[in-house]
Amino acid sequence: MEDFQKILKKNKYKKINFKVSKTQHLLVKASINGVKGNFILDTGASNSCVGFESVALFQLNAGKSSTKAAGAGATGMFTQIAKNNNLQLGKWKNKEFHLVIFDLSHVNEALQQYNAKPVQGIIGADILLQGKAIIDYYNHCLYLR
């Protein structure tokens, strides 16, 4: 039987390693507009997003959004949107990536209670669907095409 990773490579999948935090979150490094950051890989988040405090860091052009965000323990949160950004996870790239911007402080406060490092954002189902994601939990690898 052919090796799983070889099959994925043959089908043009890119391998991205992730770590599992003390809080059991999947942590992945990503670059937005050439700037690296730490992100939670969240299959339950419909959209990828960054916190308001990271707008300048990632050189985002934040615009108005009529969408209200909802997450674990919070609903009706104000959001903005930043369109047409460059996103890179490992060797996988997207040059017209839209990001939701909202208050991530509740996420980082929860992480800090476990002495876990803060994150700049969340990689959500929008990227996972677009990249035809395969998550290998056992080997801590995400594959995107």
Side-chain angles (χ1 to χ4, degrees), residues 1 3 23 25 27 44 63 106 130 133 141:
M1 187 169 136
D3 180 52
T23 57
H25 289 96
L27 302 176
H106 65 288
Q130 184 181 56
C141 299

Side-chain angles (χ1 to χ4, degrees), residues 32-134:
I32 298 174
N33 300 326
V35 180
K36 289 182 183 167
N38 296 312
F39 294 81
I40 292 174
L41 183 61
D42 187 348
T43 61
S46 55
N47 292 294
S48 296
C49 57
V50 297
F52 286 121
E53 67 283 347
S54 297
V55 169
L57 174 69
F58 294 121
Q59 304 149 34
L60 301 176
N61 185 6
K64 290 184 179 177
S65 169
S66 58
T67 305
K68 295 285 186 210
T75 57
M77 294 182 289
F78 171 75
T79 67
Q80 289 185 303
I81 192 158
K83 295 185 176 182
N84 301 319
N85 297 284
N86 291 320
L87 172 70
Q88 185 168 348
L89 289 109
K91 293 181 179 175
W92 187 87
K93 296 176 186 174
N94 180 324
K95 293 185 191 274
E96 294 180 6
F97 178 63
H98 302 336
L99 277 163
V100 173
I101 304 163
F102 81 115
D103 184 3
L104 268 181
S105 61
H106 65 288
V107 172
N108 282 320
E109 284 168 16
L111 291 172
Q112 286 173 339
Q113 288 178 0
Y114 291 91
N115 295 320
K117 290 181 182 175
V119 295
Q120 284 77 46
I122 295 169
I123 300 296
D126 52 350
I127 288 302
L128 300 175
L129 288 166
Q130 184 181 56
K132 297 179 173 59
I134 296 170

